[in-house]
Amino acid sequence: SSSSSSSSSSSSEVFVCAIPLVGMEPLADALEDAYPARLEHTMLLVRHRGETACVAYDFLPIEPTSPATAATLLSGGAVRGDRRVRALSRVPSRRCWRVGDTTPGLGGGGAAGVDAVARAFQSTYDASLRLRENGCREHTAAMALAMTGITLDLDA
């Protein structure tokens, strides 16, 4: 019951989850493990100690299935992104891995402080989405760094 164990026990866990891009789910179902990683959408999940539910933070085009969105992004242009915050009943068991714990004392400590920092990150994140420069992977890596101090390489 040292103070260091009590501070780590109040931290939250951070995960990265990869799912098929919106609209690509049938292809992912057909290819299963052969589905290409570059066609995956990444998001950051935060789960507070002792809880099953988590919150997903992600970044994707406002109109992800629009042909105009695809044309703009594939030609190197930018589209407006949606910085989403969604509750999930649990951390998914597939294509999800633990990054680590939130930085001790983040946002003043406790679940409310962690949530405040995560929501502030989301609300101020650059909403101009551009492939390979400011997309879901870059968003997930930047948010993981802000929440844990851990640098991720999602293209490795």
Side-chain angles (χ1 to χ4, degrees):
S1 63
S2 71
S3 62
S4 65
S5 68
S6 65
S7 68
S8 68
S9 67
S10 67
S11 65
S12 300
E13 296 175 285
V14 175
F15 300 84
V16 170
C17 186
I19 61 173
L21 290 174
V22 173
M24 299 297 280
E25 297 88 353
L27 179 63
D29 290 344
L31 294 178
E32 295 181 350
D33 290 339
Y35 183 80
R38 285 304 312 166
L39 295 180
E40 287 181 326
H41 172 69
T42 61
M43 64 182 107
L44 195 87
L45 309 179
V46 176
R47 181 175 68 190
H48 301 307
R49 287 276 185 253
E51 294 185 11
T52 303
C54 63
V55 179
Y57 299 90
D58 67 349
F59 181 59
L60 73 167
I62 287 179
E63 297 181 33
T65 60
S66 162
T69 296
T72 300
L73 290 173
L74 292 173
S75 67
V79 298
R80 185 135 177 81
D82 186 7
R83 300 167 293 197
R84 299 191 305 182
V85 178
R86 300 174 295 137
L88 300 180
S89 60
R90 62 178 175 75
V91 173
S93 57
R94 251 185 119 237
R95 302 290 298 137
C96 197
W97 60 95
R98 188 175 185 279
V99 174
D101 292 331
T102 53
T103 303
L106 186 71
V114 168
D115 288 343
V117 169
R119 288 178 190 278
F121 179 92
Q122 271 310 74
S123 68
T124 59
Y125 190 77
D126 178 5
S128 179
L129 192 151
R130 186 182 302 266
L131 292 181
R132 293 204 168 273
E133 290 179 28
N134 191 42
C136 64
R137 291 175 185 288
E138 292 79 16
H139 168 271
T140 299
M143 190 168 192
L145 182 62
M147 302 296 289
T148 67
I150 296 169
T151 300
L152 300 181
D153 181 3
L154 296 174
D155 291 319

